[in-house]
Every structure is written in C-alpha cells, then in structure tokens.
Amino acid sequence: MKFAQEFHFPRKWVECAIPYGQLKKCLKKVTKELEEIGLDKETLTRLAADQQHPPSDHTPADLAFSYHLDVDGKDGKPAESARFRPRLTVFIHLEDGVAVDAKLSPSTRDFLQKLAFSNTAITDDTLSSDSRLSVPSRAFYSSQGSAASNATDIRQVEVPLVFDAEFFRILQTDVSNIGTLQEEEQAKLETQIAALGEELGKAVEPSRGRRAKADLDVWRQIFELYLDARVFFSSRESDHGARTSTQAVEQLHWFQDQVVQRKLVQRLRSGTSHAAFNNFVRINTALLSILKFQEINRLAVTKILKKFDKRTSLGVSTTFPVAVRSGHSLAGNVAQDVCARMSTELISVVPQLDDYLCPICFAIAYWPVRLQCQHVFCSRCLVKMSRKDERHCPLCRADTIMLAGLENFDADRAAFLRKYFPKEVKEKVRANERERNQEIFGPSYNSVHCCTM
Ligand SMILES: [Zn+2]
Ligand SMILES: [Zn+2]
C-alpha cells in the first residue's frame, strides 16, 4: 500500500477547479471600471482609512462607502442557486445640490453627484433632514457649523458596476460546482464504506470459525493503530481539529509503517479480509485526494480575493467566505463526515476492548451489571462497593448501586463479550475466582497452590 504524495485528480475534478486565470482577467476589468469612475484603489483606500466601522445604512458619520455581497435567495435563505449581487454604495454630502467631499477628486465628485440625481430609485433612500438629526452622528454635523443648515444633504448612491458582478458570478458558480462534486464524491465514499462494513462483518464474524476469530484479533489491532494515527481528524486537545492533507499523509505513513512492522496484513487469514484491507486503503486514499482538492481550491479562493482587495480596497476577503459558508460550502469538512462514517460502519464491526472496560478496575466489564443509570460495571467491583456501603455510581453519582439486583445482569452484553473478547473474558473470570478465593482462604491463597496440592 502506498499513499501518494503527488496527487492526480480525475479530469472531471480538474474541470471543476477554481479558474484562477479567468478570475484574474476579470479582476483587471473590475479595476479598470473603478478607475474610470474615479473610484480607483487610492481613493477607496483613503475613504476606508477614515471609516472606523462599516457604515450602517442610515448613520453615515462621514463620507463613506460600503461594499456588500447580497445573497439573492428565497425567503432570505440562500438557495443552492443563490447568486451574489455585489453592491457598492457611496454616501456623499451635497450642499445646495453640489457634492462637497474634499477627499474626492473633482471628476469623481462630479460623477457621484450626477448619479445621485439620475438614480431615482436610490433617492428614496436619501436621508431626510429629520432622520439625520436623530442619528448619533448629529454632533458631527453640528461641529461643522454651516453643515447644520438644511442645505446639506447626505445621499446614498449605488454605483453601477458590471465586472464585479461577473467576477462573483464566476467565483460563486465554481464554488457551487465544487460543492456539488464534493457531495457526489462523499456519497460515493459512503457507499463504499457501507459495502466494506459488510465485507468486514463477514470476515470477522466469530461464529464462522477459527480463521474469522484470528482475523478479528488482527483487525482489532489494525483499527487500534488507525484510531491512534488520527489521520484526518484529531480529537486530542493538543492538536484538536481537522488535519491538512500534508499532515494526513504523514499520519497515514505512520499507520502504514506500524502495520508493516507488526506484519498485520500477512497475519490476516481469509481472502475476504485481504480484499477488505485493500478497500480500506483505497477509501483512505480517495479521502486524501478530496482533502487535497478542497485545500487547493480554498487557497485559490483566498488568493484571488486577497488580490481583489489589493487592487480595489473593497474589503471582500472577509465578507465573501462568510457569504460562502451561508450557502454552498467549500469549508465543509468532508474528512470529518467520512471519518465519522468509518467509525460507525467499520470500527464498530470490530469492537475495541477500550469500549467495554469496567470504569473501576479497567479490566473487561464481565460479568456486566447495568445499573439503573445505564452505566455498566463488572459485578465484582459492584459487590466490593456495596460492601463498603458506597451507594453512588462513580460515573454519574446516581444513587443506584444498592438498587442493583440479579435483574441488572446484562445477559446480552455478556454474550457479546464472550463472543468478541473470549480471551479477555476467560482471564477476567479467572481473576474474579482468584480474588474470591483469597477472600475465603486468606491472602496467601493462589490458584497455582490449589492445583499442585
Ligand atoms: Zn470492575
Ligand atoms: Zn451512573
């Protein structure tokens, strides 16, 4: 088995990838368009620097602009076909119908002033003198002296741009396509995992005989290593969270080395087990490719948005990812979903001893007694606790220990443990006997003496 460092993506994926070059070309047109109307990068940077907070629509404290990516979707919820409608709004000050903002060049002022009067739909949003006086920015206008006169007006002007809409249309379409592709790939993997679960179930079913029992033991070790490797996702505190593809490759290599060192594959006896192992490797490799592809595209989006901001100063690199997250997602964690699926469908077929230990003695919980609070302990530990008059479950502190009787013996669990952990059950039964005998015959008793006597 090999987990490639180099990735070769299927053609369909490559066609879906974020078209960085095309977006770059489109960005050039956006820049040119803004320059032509006097809202070049320098002007917007100057305006943005004075803007402490994003201006709310009705309290422009100063000459300001806002750039929103509105999502067109039904009922305010972004539909799958949702489109971003970028909207550049500039607030300008008019005195006696003349734009007065000194920060703008005369031609820009002229352009915005014309826009303010030509766009009747927008003039509805024009702030009236009354509402202007009620907003917190009143002090600002008063301190301007003459600005307090009725002749000053603040207009909210929507600047019509063409190419930014095109830019976001391309970007959004591709993010959405990748989302769809990702969902398809995830569904495929989940089907494969379900099939593998069945295959594995057959390979390790203990009632099938000694080969299956031996394979069960090997698979348990394989999955124990796999869980230790935390390939795609770590729940450990020190490195919590999703792994990058580079980390995942490293973890898979570690897993691979361990499996080889312990000769686990050679020890698998049935053909079904060998086939299942190959499928397991294939699924991990496929998941790795998805992770890598996702990373490449996420990086392309981040890079092109940074470039967009660098060229325009419109500040989209923070707003676009939020907008994406609310719709089709490039940030969705396929690895995490698929891993969860693997642990339910595969690892549960091969029960791990850790999940069946008694929380008091850390040996297998046999005979299993299920308290009313649903916590399971070995009968031996509960007997000892009740002798010490300890009434409360050590896990949840419920007053359940003294209530336990024969009816709390979990027969199903006991049968399950005998089936999947015969060795551990035998050892535990022996240990229980030894302990009981020592209680009767004194601490010097041990079973070896008993046999030789
Ligand atoms: Zn115990
Ligand atoms: Zn409890």
Side-chain angles (χ1 to χ4, degrees):
M1 72 179 161
K2 272 241 165 74
F3 298 104
Q5 301 270 15
E6 294 287 314
F7 291 89
H8 299 285
F9 300 120
R11 199 183 154 157
K12 191 182 167 193
W13 292 24
V14 177
E15 282 165 5
C16 260
I18 296 288
Y20 192 76
Q22 192 190 351
L23 285 164
K24 230 168 99 180
K25 266 185 212 152
C26 190
L27 178 55
K28 265 193 189 144
K29 292 184 197 161
V30 178
T31 320
K32 204 167 155 223
E33 198 177 21
L34 284 166
E35 273 165 14
E36 275 167 10
I37 58 172
L39 291 172
D40 53 286
K41 187 198 158 187
E42 284 69 31
T43 307
L44 287 170
T45 310
R46 212 159 49 232
L47 297 185
D50 292 339
Q51 235 162 252
Q52 303 250 317
H53 307 286
S56 91
D57 279 356
H58 293 289
T59 57
D62 197 352
L63 171 70
F65 72 88
S66 71
Y67 193 64
H68 285 294
L69 296 171
D70 291 350
V71 181
D72 290 337
K74 279 176 192 166
D75 309 323
K77 280 182 201 153
E80 247 181 64
S81 57
R83 288 272 169 266
F84 292 114
R85 197 171 70 88
R87 205 155 55 91
L88 174 61
T89 314
V90 180
F91 298 93
I92 56 163
H93 295 165
L94 295 176
E95 258 180 44
D96 299 322
V98 179
V100 291
D101 293 296
K103 284 173 194 145
L104 299 174
S105 71
S107 63
T108 311
R109 268 203 305 264
D110 205 38
F111 171 80
L112 292 172
Q113 186 184 314
K114 275 191 197 134
L115 208 58
F117 290 104
S118 67
N119 196 338
T120 48
I122 301 295
T123 46
D124 288 346
D125 289 339
T126 306
L127 303 174
S128 69
S129 323
D130 287 348
S131 71
R132 173 152 49 85
L133 287 175
S134 66
V135 300
S137 53
R138 184 184 168 186
F140 169 81
Y141 298 105
S142 311
S143 69
Q144 302 297 303
S146 65
S149 78
N150 285 332
T152 306
D153 204 357
I154 295 172
R155 293 280 174 119
Q156 184 182 332
V157 177
E158 196 173 313
V159 183
L161 295 170
V162 176
F163 290 111
D164 66 337
E166 189 183 323
F167 179 91
F168 286 107
R169 187 187 52 74
I170 298 171
L171 189 56
Q172 171 61 9
T173 306
D174 282 290
V175 166
S176 169
N177 286 345
I178 290 170
T180 311
L181 179 76
Q182 216 164 263
E183 274 167 21
E184 284 169 17
E185 294 300 321
Q186 184 171 346
K188 261 193 239 165
L189 274 187
E190 283 177 359
T191 314
Q192 288 171 19
I193 289 172
L196 176 55
E198 266 178 46
E199 199 178 14
L200 197 57
K202 281 181 203 153
V204 301
E205 169 59 47
S207 60
R208 287 185 171 236
R210 288 173 68 178
R211 264 203 332 191
K213 277 183 194 162
D215 280 5
L216 174 66
D217 194 48
V218 178
W219 273 108
R220 196 169 282 148
Q221 293 179 51
I222 291 174
F223 283 145
E224 204 179 341
L225 285 170
Y226 185 75
L227 291 174
D228 271 355
R230 296 173 179 86
V231 180
F232 293 102
F233 194 83
S234 173
S235 50
R236 219 167 19 191
E237 211 171 300
S238 54
D239 57 354
H240 186 87
R243 304 263 197 212
T244 62
S245 63
T246 317
Q247 288 168 326
V249 170
E250 262 171 40
Q251 298 308 108
L252 275 174
H253 278 150
W254 178 84
F255 167 70
Q256 174 185 21
D257 288 347
Q258 297 294 317
V259 168
V260 170
Q261 272 177 32
R262 293 169 205 213
K263 298 190 167 61
L264 291 176
V265 179
Q266 290 97 306
R267 281 173 50 201
L268 287 172
R269 295 211 196 157
S270 72
T272 321
S273 275
H274 279 276
F277 187 77
N278 290 337
N279 280 335
F280 182 64
V281 171
R282 224 186 329 256
I283 287 170
N284 276 284
T285 312
L287 191 49
L288 197 57
S289 299
I290 295 180
L291 186 64
K292 182 72 186 173
F293 188 67
Q294 204 176 13
E295 272 172 15
I296 290 173
N297 284 294
R298 213 180 290 155
L299 183 68
V301 172
T302 311
K303 265 173 77 177
I304 197 73
L305 289 176
K306 265 196 191 152
K307 207 175 258 298
F308 190 102
D309 281 346
K310 215 173 138 198
R311 299 264 171 86
T312 65
S313 262
L314 285 172
V316 292
S317 50
T318 47
T319 50
F320 185 77
V322 176
V324 169
R325 235 174 279 137
S326 61
H328 233 4
S329 165
L330 196 63
N333 200 329
V334 178
Q336 201 177 334
D337 293 351
V338 174
C339 283
R341 198 58 178 250
M342 280 208 264
S343 69
T344 50
E345 303 245 0
L346 303 184
I347 297 170
S348 65
V349 175
V350 182
Q352 297 289 317
L353 183 61
D354 277 359
D355 296 331
Y356 299 95
L357 296 180
C358 164
I360 299 174
C361 63
F362 295 109
I364 192 165
Y366 198 83
W367 300 82
V369 174
R370 186 181 293 276
L371 297 176
Q372 267 179 31
C373 57
Q374 294 307 314
H375 290 122
V376 179
F377 300 90
C378 75
S379 58
R380 191 83 199 129
C381 286
L382 287 178
V383 166
K384 285 192 261 182
M385 283 193 75
S386 62
R387 272 190 206 147
K388 285 189 226 155
D389 247 2
E390 285 174 31
R391 332 173 39 95
H392 301 283
C393 165
L395 291 184
C396 69
R397 309 306 302 160
D399 189 359
T400 47
I401 291 182
M402 295 305 183
L403 302 174
L406 261 183
E407 69 281 4
N408 289 80
F409 170 64
D410 190 335
D412 291 343
R413 172 66 68 94
F416 175 89
L417 294 179
R418 280 195 302 269
K419 181 172 173 185
Y420 283 98
F421 303 98
K423 218 167 55 193
E424 289 80 1
V425 165
K426 256 183 221 154
E427 270 166 28
K428 176 74 178 178
V429 169
R430 238 177 273 140
N432 283 351
E433 263 169 31
R434 204 159 42 232
E435 218 177 277
R436 224 180 2 251
N437 286 334
Q438 277 173 353
E439 279 165 14
I440 300 169
F441 301 111
S444 60
Y445 174 89
N446 75 50
S447 52
V448 181
H449 286 163
C450 181
C451 294
T452 52
M453 269 159 78

